[in-house]
Amino acid sequence: MLNQPITQKINDLNVCVIIPTYNNQHTLKRVVDGVLGFTNNIIIINDGSSDTTAQILENYPEIQQIHFPENKGKGFALRRGFEHAISLGYEFALTIDSDGQHFPNDIPSFINDLEVHPTKELLIIGARNMKQEGVPGKSSFGNKFSNFWFWFETGIKLTDTQSGFRLYPLNVLKNLKFYTTKFEFEIEVIVKSAWKDVDVKNIPIQVLYDETERVSHFRPFQDFTRISILNFWLVFLTLIYYKPRQLFRNIKKKGFKRFFIEDFLGSSDSPKKKALSVALGVFIGFSPLWGLHTVLAIALSIFLKLNKTITFAFSNVSLPPFIPFIIYASLELGQIIFQEPISYSVTDLMDNFEVFKHLKTYIVGSFALAILGAILFGVVAYFFFSIIKKKKGVLQHD
């Protein structure tokens, strides 16, 4: 019998439930029957199962079913399920694994959270209690690993990024491009959704790990390698695209003056932390690592827990109009260090690439300039931010 209040909400919100399954003959029926207690809006993706899955599903002719002749991978199954749900006009898809670890009784928690969300641009991940008895150690470690990279890539802290019990906004997903087809898809989809300003959050759910019934198809070496490759690519995109885009969006939204006051000067960071952020940005900007300045500025500011906005801003001391002066100063310092005078003109540097004939002198001089610039700018910034903080304190006191 259907849970009428939740069933009505599911219909009103235009939600379907997608169940991908592969060789879970011992638990599939229990999961399907549990979901049927809340809704008939179900799409089952049989991902090339070789057990009795097809025979079990023959008993549910009223349910939408897609059968693959061979195993394609969980990501591929989910993507096909999303496409089918969109074609049927659904706006949200709730996914639940068929291995028995999830409890369909948690469906109302997802629906109630969706109902009260103001914009409905929401992606919910059911958070398992990874400390409870019976949770495999490799699952707990893998989840912590995934949580860290998701935070690095999006700035959002979650307690569980690997749970397959989720609610997706299909109107967002239909405009995204995906490239993965295995378990790593569940990482790709939440990162790209977060980049589209979707509210990604956890809600607590129950979990059952019954080794006598549960069949896991996760292959530690192959799938962990795939996930690592995906995260490497997502981190790269984060550093060269997502983080800079966030910064420029913030500036555009607030206006430069407000941004400068609130995010640059009005930060709660101490003058010391801000000054170190300036020093790091200048060091990177003057360094000879051309093409990597933005990536290094954001990555190192995150790693060193400095102010990312300030570091990124000052790494741009190497904007194109300043490049000839930076190269010139680097070569001059290099000559002083090596005590080897060289002859060149500005035309030689810019047109004839004379700098490459004196690469050692340039690189050493460049790092020397980076160190001196970092110290100088850092000291000046420290006194500047200290004065601003004192003035701000006086104004607040008055």
Side-chain angles (χ1 to χ4, degrees):
M1 183 177 294
L2 292 173
N3 183 320
Q4 291 301 332
I6 294 298
T7 301
Q8 187 61 48
K9 289 182 181 181
I10 289 174
N11 291 334
D12 291 343
L13 293 166
N14 212 5
V15 181
C16 70
V17 179
I18 296 176
I19 307 174
T21 186
Y22 174 58
N23 288 350
N24 288 126
Q25 60 184 2
H26 300 297
T27 54
L28 176 60
K29 184 179 186 303
R30 184 170 78 236
V31 172
V32 174
D33 289 343
V35 175
L36 282 170
F38 297 97
T39 183
N40 293 317
N41 303 343
I42 302 174
I43 301 171
I44 298 179
I45 315 296
N46 176 14
D47 188 17
S49 297
S50 57
D51 58 4
T52 61
T53 292
Q55 288 75 26
I56 293 171
L57 293 179
E58 287 176 356
N59 297 314
Y60 300 94
E62 75 281 10
I63 292 177
Q64 294 276 328
Q65 299 179 25
I66 298 174
H67 295 264
F68 296 157
E70 59 184 28
N71 182 247
K72 299 286 188 178
K74 186 179 183 182
F76 189 92
L78 287 172
R79 288 169 61 177
R80 183 67 184 88
F82 294 150
E83 290 170 2
H84 190 62
I86 291 168
S87 72
L88 295 174
Y90 289 110
E91 296 179 53
F92 299 91
L94 208 164
T95 63
I96 183 171
D97 291 345
S98 63
D99 61 1
Q101 69 167 293
H102 300 147
F103 289 76
N105 287 339
D106 282 323
I107 288 176
S109 298
F110 290 87
I111 300 303
N112 291 332
D113 256 45
L114 174 63
E115 183 184 33
V116 300
H117 194 270
T119 68
K120 300 296 187 288
E121 290 200 347
L122 175 67
L123 195 160
I124 306 175
I125 304 174
R128 303 160 293 176
N129 179 5
M130 302 305 291
K131 295 181 180 180
Q132 78 176 49
E133 186 178 353
V135 176
K138 62 181 181 180
S139 295
S140 180
F141 170 78
N143 191 52
K144 291 178 181 178
F145 178 85
S146 178
N147 294 347
F148 169 78
W149 287 116
F150 179 75
W151 165 78
F152 186 94
E153 292 151 4
T154 66
I156 300 171
K157 288 188 176 182
L158 297 180
T159 59
D160 193 347
T161 51
Q162 290 194 314
S163 170
F165 204 170
R166 306 179 176 193
L167 185 137
Y168 292 97
L170 295 176
N171 288 335
V172 175
L173 265 56
K174 69 182 181 182
N175 296 318
L176 297 176
K177 289 185 178 181
F178 301 109
Y179 301 96
T180 56
T181 59
K182 306 296 183 182
F183 285 101
E184 70 274 15
F185 169 75
E186 290 182 300
I187 296 173
E188 182 186 15
V189 67
I190 61 173
V191 171
K192 290 185 174 179
S193 295
W195 285 353
K196 286 294 183 180
D197 300 320
V198 171
D199 184 10
V200 183
K201 60 175 286 188
N202 282 137
I203 61 170
I205 59 168
Q206 306 168 79
V207 64
L208 173 66
Y209 283 93
D210 187 345
E211 296 302 328
T212 63
E213 288 186 326
R214 181 172 177 265
V215 178
S216 174
H217 303 291
F218 186 85
R219 302 163 299 174
F221 178 77
Q222 296 97 319
D223 291 315
F224 190 76
T225 300
R226 286 175 174 271
I227 291 171
S228 297
I229 293 171
L230 173 65
N231 276 314
F232 175 83
W233 175 243
L234 292 175
V235 166
F236 177 74
L237 291 178
T238 297
L239 296 176
I240 68 166
Y241 168 70
Y242 177 67
K243 294 294 184 182
R245 186 193 69 168
Q246 271 189 318
L247 176 62
F248 290 120
R249 274 185 173 182
N250 207 11
I251 294 174
K252 184 178 180 180
K253 180 180 179 181
K254 295 183 176 182
F256 183 79
K257 183 178 179 180
R258 182 183 165 198
F259 171 82
F260 185 78
I261 293 172
E262 292 182 1
D263 295 74
F264 199 81
L265 297 180
S267 167
S268 59
D269 292 338
S270 67
K272 179 182 176 181
K273 187 172 183 179
K274 291 179 183 178
L276 288 172
S277 302
V278 170
L280 176 62
V282 172
F283 177 85
I284 293 171
F286 282 163
S287 74
L289 304 172
W290 302 101
L292 298 174
H293 288 171
T294 297
V295 174
L296 289 172
I298 297 174
L300 289 176
S301 62
I302 292 173
F303 179 75
L304 298 173
K305 297 182 179 179
L306 297 178
N307 187 302
K308 296 183 286 295
T309 300
I310 295 176
T311 302
F312 175 77
F314 276 88
S315 70
N316 286 294
V317 293
S318 57
L319 286 172
F322 306 127
I323 291 175
F325 303 101
I326 294 173
I327 295 175
Y328 175 79
S330 299
L331 284 169
E332 289 296 312
L333 276 174
Q335 290 180 75
I336 294 172
I337 293 170
F338 288 111
Q339 296 184 342
E340 295 178 357
I342 56 178
S343 177
Y344 58 87
S345 66
V346 174
T347 301
D348 290 330
L349 290 178
M350 303 312 297
D351 297 335
N352 301 325
F353 304 100
E354 188 73 13
V355 68
F356 290 111
K357 295 182 180 179
H358 310 288
L359 196 57
K360 181 181 72 171
T361 302
Y362 163 69
I363 290 176
V364 173
S366 182
F367 277 115
L369 178 65
I371 293 170
L372 291 174
I375 294 172
L376 177 61
F377 276 80
V379 170
V380 172
Y382 178 76
F383 286 109
F384 174 75
F385 288 123
S386 296
I387 293 170
I388 293 294
K389 185 177 181 181
K390 287 179 181 179
K391 286 185 177 180
K392 186 178 178 182
V394 170
L395 289 172
Q396 289 176 343
H397 181 72
D398 292 342

